[in-house]
Amino acid sequence: MQIAVSGGKGGTGKSTVAINLAVELARRFKLVLADLDVEAPNDHLLLGVELAGEEPVNQFMPKFDYSKCTKCRKCAEVCEEHAIITLKDGTPFLMPNLCSGCRACEIVCPVPGAILEAFRVIGHTYVTETPYGFTLVTGKLREGEERSMPLVVEAKKRARNLDYELLMVDTAAGTGNTVSKAIEGSKLLIAVTEPTPLGIHDTELILQLGKLMGLKTWVVVNRADLGDVGKVREIAEKYGAEVVAEIPYSENIVRSYVSGRPIVLEDVPEAKIFRELAERVAGFLGGGE
Amino acid sequence: MQVAIASGKGGVGKSTITASLLYFLKDRYKLIAVDADAEAPNLGLLLGVEEWEEEREHIGAKVAKINTETCVRCGICYERCPYESIYIDEDGNYIVNELTCEGCNVCGLVCPVPGTITLEQARSGVIRKATTKYGFPIISAQLDVGRPESGKLVTEEKEWAKKLMDELNLEHMIVDSAAGIGCQVIASIGGADLTILIAEPTPASLSDVQRAYKVVQHFRQPAYLIINKADLNPGFTALREWAEAEGIPVIGEVPYDRAIPKSMAMLKPVVEAFPDSPASKALKEIAERIAEEILG
Ligand code: SF4
Ligand code: SF4
Ligand code: SF4
Ligand code: SF4
């Protein structure tokens, strides 16, 4: 079973919702939380844990054996990323940063052995046991690498290979295709939003994505007292989604964010909101609508 | 000059600070603003843009399509797609998931039935232009839902902006970059003369800005730092220590101020909505320092 926590824009408190839900849901399910915000993974910081179990993500890139290459340029023509440039006489050269590792060049090269397998490390995945009874999987793109899709795919794979009843994915901000890749396969999408005009604008996009993917979608309104929750409800309704929780702006949450200790563990009113939300999620998953 | 503003992560106040700096700098310089956060653009909204004067579709992304009539259901495409973007529907048809396809055409190359898989052009989003009520132009983009992360969209935005700079004789381009460190950010920072980083004193923001700084270093650019919500977390000194150790000048600190979220709800730069608030005063000072020490 899989559920996803996402939000149209950055800084809405998506990770806060994800980690607190994870802590709470780990009491009921054997749980894995996958931090698939590979450009800015933060769940481990919010949980106050050090990343462990590092594994490099190696990505294919072509290496040319110039003694065999006939300079036919086919590899360069087929590369959708324009990662291969050719000299006037047809000699191919790779610009590693642009290469997505798709192997299209290898497939079309007519000369066996002209393209050799080389790899480069584009990032890492981590598997960390948290003290809260669940496992955290983290994907981290290497600085200077442009493409986050392969890392999202790898981190998700690593998470899926673990033993769990419930996989929870925390996605990047935005609504691009790496977010859809992270969300893919979820039974429920929890969209975290703010009731500000900017937040509402971005919420509409994530709801659109949820609808396109045919997902049951819930909306959690963070910093609910900073704006008009009614507007969020309107938008949610338009997309057949439901507002299921409102979290007020709270110094307690800010403090927990900073100190790396989930707020559900504290004896404060905000903790109750997350506990109730977790209960609702558990009810939904157990009963299966 | 081209100045990029980046933070590595969303929600640390990058757009509101950018809008405020633009508000002050517009009086001294002829500027153009570029909102390079194509997945969640909001600088235009913050600068009161209600209507776009010109809109250009960006046809850049490609998606694969499978003709189920000629497909022999051999499953080779399904096995070879590097991003697992092909699925089998209830009727056993092989279908491309357009929301995750990267358009690499590997499926098309391995399919044994010629013409069954075609790579088609798809719209990846729009790029638009407006003149803000403050007089300077802004270029913004909006990526379509489920399209590949588009550095190309940002590159095209900047090209349009450069043309306008020539036509209108403008001096500086201020680029509000996307969150993260991927292709949109690389496209935002690449080609800039310098980058202003924005971070708040939290472990998460520090980790993200460190990653953004590595991208800046990659381009061998100078970097500056603005600390937002500077008084939020007095015990946390690691951000300042890091900046000092890296030799990144801190050009200012903005205190935590409820005026900022309030101004955002009003869709105005805080310095316009609440000019006497502590945040606005700090931002004014920062704008002056940027004018003196950076833009000249
Ligand atoms: S692996 Fe793909 S992206 Fe890389 S060079 Fe070959 S065709 Fe281009
Ligand atoms: S396709 Fe193969 S033989 Fe042709 S230029 Fe590329 S590497 Fe050389
Ligand atoms: S174009 Fe590439 S990503 Fe898209 S379905 Fe084909 S193999 Fe997969
Ligand atoms: S490779 Fe071609 S024939 Fe085989 S399943 Fe895919 S589309 Fe059908």
Side-chain angles (χ1 to χ4, degrees):
Chain A
M1 236 177 352
Q2 182 190 312
I3 62 172
V5 179
S6 192
K9 77 185 194 86
T12 52
K14 184 175 53 65
S15 295
T16 302
V17 171
I19 63 135
N20 282 294
L21 267 185
V23 170
E24 213 31 49
L25 286 169
R27 297 179 207 267
R28 303 159 207 247
F29 299 94
K30 191 168 169 51
L31 186 132
V32 169
L33 172 64
D35 188 352
L36 302 182
D37 186 359
V38 301
E39 294 183 37
N42 278 327
D43 288 357
H44 60 290
L45 296 170
L46 270 55
L47 289 162
V49 295
E50 295 254 340
L51 291 177
E54 178 177 285
E55 267 178 23
V57 176
N58 290 305
Q59 181 175 284
F60 166 82
M61 57 180 198
K63 188 170 169 232
F64 305 105
D65 181 342
Y66 293 112
S67 69
K68 295 199 177 119
C69 169
T70 59
K71 305 175 184 168
C72 70
R73 297 178 201 251
K74 288 213 166 78
C75 54
E77 281 159 20
V78 81
C79 177
E80 289 291 335
E81 300 302 326
H82 307 293
I84 299 175
I85 47 167
T86 52
L87 300 186
K88 259 205 180 114
D89 70 348
T91 312
F93 277 99
L94 180 74
M95 292 184 286
N97 273 344
L98 297 179
C99 173
S100 72
C102 71
R103 293 183 185 260
C105 50
E106 191 195 28
I107 294 166
V108 296
C109 176
V111 187
I115 290 186
L116 303 168
E117 287 213 342
F119 292 91
R120 72 174 199 281
V121 177
I122 56 161
H124 295 85
T125 58
Y126 302 83
V127 172
T128 313
E129 288 309 325
T130 69
Y132 310 109
F134 66 89
T135 309
L136 173 70
V137 176
T138 308
K140 199 169 175 189
L141 184 72
R142 193 162 161 175
E143 296 90 352
E145 289 293 338
E146 306 215 3
R147 312 174 59 87
S148 42
M149 181 62 104
L151 216 39
V152 171
V153 171
E154 282 310 313
K156 203 168 171 185
K157 250 188 218 156
R158 201 168 172 200
R160 280 212 304 253
N161 282 334
L162 298 172
D163 181 28
Y164 61 82
E165 291 163 356
L166 179 60
L167 171 62
M168 202 168 139
V169 301
D170 180 11
T171 80
T175 48
N177 70 345
T178 57
V179 175
S180 10
K181 188 83 234 173
I183 293 175
E184 192 176 48
S186 297
K187 219 178 154 187
L188 174 68
L189 167 64
I190 299 175
V192 183
T193 174
E194 276 177 1
T196 60
L198 300 179
I200 287 164
H201 175 250
D202 295 316
T203 307
E204 179 140 21
L205 295 175
I206 187 76
L207 291 176
Q208 252 175 39
L209 184 64
K211 192 155 188 201
L212 276 173
M213 297 182 75
L215 293 176
K216 168 100 185 164
T217 305
W218 286 357
V219 177
V220 170
V221 187
N222 196 18
R223 303 186 193 109
D225 43 348
L226 287 187
D228 184 358
V229 181
K231 286 242 169 62
V232 180
R233 277 183 211 285
E234 259 169 49
I235 298 274
E237 216 160 281
K238 190 168 142 199
Y239 288 91
E242 194 187 340
V243 175
V244 294
E246 293 177 31
I247 305 165
Y249 175 81
S250 127
E251 298 285 331
N252 286 334
I253 292 179
V254 175
R255 253 195 302 279
S256 101
Y257 180 84
V258 167
S259 65
R261 192 174 149 78
I263 192 136
V264 274
L265 299 169
E266 311 289 340
D267 187 18
V268 292
E270 295 83 348
K272 213 175 128 221
I273 301 175
F274 288 109
R275 275 189 223 122
E276 280 170 6
L277 180 58
E279 207 150 295
R280 219 171 149 159
V281 173
F284 171 76
L285 293 175
E289 263 178 38
Chain B
M1 201 183 259
Q2 194 185 119
V3 177
I5 302 188
S7 65
K9 113 191 232 326
V12 298
K14 185 166 48 62
S15 295
T16 175
I17 288 180
T18 305
S20 293
L21 294 177
L22 284 163
Y23 179 85
F24 285 122
L25 295 171
K26 71 175 193 311
D27 296 333
R28 291 202 211 190
Y29 306 101
K30 292 169 82 176
L31 302 172
I32 182 162
V34 175
D35 186 351
D37 189 352
E39 287 188 45
N42 54 28
L43 190 63
L45 285 171
L46 272 177
L47 294 169
V49 173
E50 276 164 20
E51 260 174 73
W52 298 93
E53 292 154 20
E54 201 182 329
E55 205 162 83
R56 298 180 184 174
E57 282 202 334
H58 182 75
I59 315 286
K62 289 184 179 165
V63 284
K65 279 227 160 64
I66 294 176
N67 180 348
T68 45
E69 305 275 306
T70 54
C71 167
V72 296
R73 301 185 173 185
C74 67
I76 297 177
C77 58
Y78 173 83
E79 267 158 44
R80 293 295 290 274
C81 170
Y83 309 108
E84 300 177 359
S85 291
I86 292 174
Y87 67 99
I88 308 167
D89 73 5
E90 298 104 42
D91 304 326
N93 290 317
Y94 286 80
I95 313 271
V96 173
N97 183 349
E98 294 191 6
L99 294 174
T100 62
C101 172
E102 288 262 293
C104 64
N105 201 29
V106 163
C107 52
L109 295 170
V110 297
C111 175
V113 190
T116 295
I117 300 186
T118 45
L119 202 59
E120 291 175 11
Q121 295 275 358
R123 203 184 95 138
S124 48
V126 290
I127 304 180
R128 34 203 176 192
K129 178 201 142 204
T131 306
T132 62
K133 64 178 183 223
Y134 310 105
F136 58 85
I138 176 170
I139 304 280
S140 181
Q142 175 77 61
L143 190 73
D144 286 350
V145 165
R147 299 271 45 103
E149 37 180 342
S150 194
K152 290 181 195 116
L153 212 61
V154 173
T155 305
E156 214 172 287
E157 280 190 271
K158 285 171 75 169
E159 267 159 27
W160 192 357
K162 265 181 226 149
K163 258 198 212 118
L164 281 174
M165 285 180 80
D166 285 342
E167 275 166 33
L168 305 172
N169 220 342
L170 307 176
E171 297 164 281
H172 303 297
M173 185 198 303
I174 312 287
V175 183
D176 185 7
S177 106
I181 57 164
C183 61
Q184 283 191 60
V185 180
I186 289 177
S188 302
I189 291 177
D193 295 289
L194 60 99
T195 295
I196 297 176
L197 298 165
I198 297 180
E200 54 184 35
T202 63
S205 178
L206 171 61
S207 157
D208 294 331
V209 79
Q210 282 172 334
R211 280 158 71 69
Y213 179 59
K214 285 207 182 135
V215 177
V216 176
Q217 279 180 310
H218 188 87
F219 289 110
R220 299 173 198 284
Q221 281 174 23
Y224 298 84
L225 177 67
I226 295 175
I227 302 178
N228 194 21
K229 303 184 193 158
D231 49 350
L232 177 76
N233 192 6
F236 189 85
T237 53
L239 177 62
R240 284 175 191 84
E241 281 160 19
W242 165 74
E244 196 167 315
E246 293 285 348
I248 304 167
V250 177
I251 38 170
E253 300 191 357
V254 182
Y256 175 76
D257 189 339
R258 289 285 284 221
I260 290 185
K262 269 193 220 147
S263 69
M264 289 185 85
M266 296 159 69
L267 294 179
K268 278 188 179 165
V270 64
V271 293
E272 186 187 14
F274 303 102
D276 297 324
S277 68
S280 296
K281 284 182 182 148
L283 282 163
K284 181 160 200 236
E285 257 172 55
I286 292 171
E288 261 155 30
R289 280 193 69 184
I290 290 176
E292 273 158 34
E293 292 170 36
I294 298 177
L295 298 178

